[in-house]
Amino acid sequence: MKNATAIFSLAILSLLASCTTCPMGHQTTAAGKVEHVVLIWLKKPGDKAGRQKVVDTAKMFQAEIREIQHLSVGTPLPSDRTVVDDSFDVGLVMRFASPADLGTYEKHPVHVKAVKEILQPLAAKLLVYDIVAH
């Protein structure tokens, strides 16, 4: 996988940025909208049926979970640029009005069921980045 070190570093930064109290006692504030970015690698890379199932499930989230303000879902744009990781199968970006709305989404029965019944059986790897927009 291209840029594994960069991805790992971004994952660590994302985890630190998403915590309410960081290890050094720095309190973060999340007053802005939240962009929830999810990258998914399937157990069967390139599996068209698996990709479509994930895409359809994400679209269903937008229809059934009112906290989602916006959803973009699709497949990676192939790239020869070394800084671009295009090895994932499906990517999605969701916008929430607040961290509280993201929390509501994460616990929503539709989301919990889809993770258990669709995502876990299909996904080999998953990366999530939660970004507070300023």
Side-chain angles (χ1 to χ4, degrees):
M1 181 169 85
K2 296 187 277 184
N3 298 318
T5 302
I7 291 170
F8 178 74
S9 297
L10 284 173
I12 296 300
L13 288 172
S14 176
L15 287 172
L16 290 175
S18 67
C19 66
T20 52
T21 305
C22 293
M24 295 185 193
H26 174 71
Q27 190 76 16
T28 62
T29 57
K33 292 184 182 280
V34 176
E35 301 291 334
H36 180 63
V37 181
V38 181
L39 302 177
I40 302 160
W41 286 260
L42 298 176
K43 291 177 182 174
K44 296 179 185 175
D47 175 35
K48 289 182 182 183
R51 280 182 173 176
Q52 192 59 52
K53 197 167 193 176
V54 172
V55 168
D56 292 344
T57 299
K59 289 179 179 180
M60 180 259 309
F61 285 167
Q62 189 171 29
E64 296 192 28
I65 303 174
R66 69 174 181 79
E67 286 78 13
I68 299 171
Q69 292 185 329
H70 178 77
L71 167 72
S72 295
V73 60
T75 55
L77 176 66
S79 178
D80 293 329
R81 296 172 50 214
T82 58
V83 70
V84 174
D85 180 359
D86 58 1
S87 66
F88 60 95
D89 288 285
V90 179
L92 61 97
V93 179
M94 293 181 187
R95 181 176 305 124
F96 297 91
S98 67
D101 281 355
L102 172 62
T104 299
Y105 156 78
E106 290 172 343
K107 296 174 189 164
H108 195 286
V110 170
H111 175 254
V112 172
K113 181 179 179 184
V115 167
K116 182 179 178 183
E117 295 178 5
I118 309 250
L119 194 56
Q120 287 178 348
L122 291 174
K125 177 182 171 183
L126 177 77
L127 282 179
V128 177
Y129 301 95
D130 291 326
I131 302 161
V132 177
H134 296 280

